[in-house]
């Protein structure tokens, strides 16, 4: 993982706010509660246990100096108006999640919605790195969408606790192989980012 959390007060956040048309960026305090990737369900359970409301938006992380990435996310608005993130963090963090609030997408809970991420290059170098990462990650996301569609068509129910994937039909075997290939591309794209960062440090 090469992503770092960007504090809501950081200079890059102003650029991200202008780019997204959302904002201002807010900080949500991270609490250890539920696993990464299950943010919608984690928030539901947190609200059931402690109160508050589930709200949605875009979590902001970045490869410093290269590009920012916005992932659809959910946090909890506590009764005092503060934000809490009950999901294990994505990338390196400082105890907070930076989020641009946006309730225009409110996903159902039957299957992961798999919304596309948003990417913002910070420089020409960043644009090249961003393109490699975005293309590989988006291809992988499309494979996940197809796997979910197969599961739905076979009547396989999904839940974060019980999901083990659809029956391994021939098409699913093919998709699993394609998924592994995209994982290799993502790793190669991350290595490319690291090579740029290392070169910039030594120059």
């Amino acid at each position: 993982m090469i992503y770092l959390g960007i504090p809501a007060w950081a200079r890059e956040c102003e650029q991200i706010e202008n780019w997204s048309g959302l904002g201002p960026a807010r900080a949500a305090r991270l609490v250890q509660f539920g696993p990464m990737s299950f943010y919608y369900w984690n928030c539901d359970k947190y609200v059931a246990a402690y109160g508050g409301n589930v709200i949605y938006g875009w979590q902001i992380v970045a490869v410093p100096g290269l590009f920012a990435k916005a992932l659809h996310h959910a946090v909890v608005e506590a009764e005092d108006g503060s934000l809490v993130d009950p999901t294990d963090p994505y990338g390196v963090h400082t105890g907070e999640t930076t989020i641009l609030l946006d309730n225009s997408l409110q996903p159902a809970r039957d299957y992961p919605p798999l919304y596309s991420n948003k990417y913002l290059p910070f420089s020409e170098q960043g644009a090249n790195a961003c393109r490699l990462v975005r293309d590989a990650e988006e291809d992988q996301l499309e494979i996940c969408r197809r796997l979910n569609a197969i599961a739905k068509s076979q009547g396989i129910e999904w839940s974060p606790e019980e999901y083990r994937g659809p029956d391994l039909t021939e098409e699913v075997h093919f998709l699993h192989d394609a998924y592994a290939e995209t994982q290799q591309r993502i790793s190669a794209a991350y290595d490319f980012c690291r090579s740029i960062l290392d070169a910039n440090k030594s120059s």
Side-chain angles (χ1 to χ4, degrees):
M1 184 70 69
I2 59 171
Y3 294 106
L4 301 177
I6 300 178
W9 47 261
R11 177 182 56 82
E12 292 92 342
C13 266
E14 183 177 358
Q15 186 176 355
I16 293 165
E17 290 164 4
N18 293 336
W19 158 70
S20 69
L22 303 169
R26 297 276 305 277
R29 178 174 55 88
L30 281 163
V31 296
Q32 191 170 17
F33 186 82
M36 186 170 64
S37 299
F38 295 129
Y39 20 85
Y40 309 125
W41 297 268
N42 294 337
C43 287
D44 289 343
K45 291 177 180 177
Y46 189 91
V47 166
Y50 301 108
N53 298 295
V54 180
I55 56 176
Y56 303 93
W58 299 90
Q59 179 184 2
I60 303 299
V61 295
V63 181
L66 296 183
F67 64 90
K69 175 178 172 179
L71 309 90
H72 198 256
H73 197 57
V75 296
V76 173
E77 183 177 39
E79 293 180 1
D80 64 0
S82 64
L83 301 183
V84 176
D85 187 349
T87 299
D88 289 345
Y90 181 87
V92 180
H93 65 93
T94 59
E96 294 179 330
T97 293
T98 296
I99 186 166
L100 294 166
L101 299 182
D102 175 13
N103 280 307
S104 64
L105 297 174
Q106 299 195 15
R109 303 297 196 260
D110 55 344
Y111 279 75
L114 301 174
Y115 297 124
S116 293
N117 300 321
K118 303 173 187 288
Y119 300 84
L120 172 66
F122 292 138
S123 63
E124 186 174 342
Q125 269 189 331
N128 294 330
C130 181
R131 190 178 307 109
L132 285 175
V133 172
R134 181 196 62 220
D135 290 352
E137 291 184 343
E138 188 60 38
D139 286 350
Q140 186 173 90
L141 196 60
E142 183 56 32
I143 291 168
C144 291
R145 292 187 183 111
R146 290 173 64 185
L147 287 168
N148 277 347
I150 292 169
K152 273 190 172 182
S153 70
Q154 294 180 3
I156 296 172
E157 295 185 5
W158 191 96
S159 74
E161 292 84 4
E162 299 174 5
Y163 183 67
R164 295 293 180 273
D167 294 337
L168 294 181
T169 62
E170 183 176 347
E171 181 180 6
V172 173
H173 276 297
F174 169 78
L175 290 173
H176 276 285
D177 290 343
Y179 183 95
E181 189 270 336
T182 60
Q183 194 60 47
Q184 292 176 349
R185 287 170 55 203
I186 290 171
S187 295
Y190 287 178
D191 287 343
F192 179 70
C193 292
R194 291 188 186 95
S195 69
I196 294 175
L197 296 175
D198 289 343
N200 289 344
K201 284 180 184 177
S202 60
S203 62

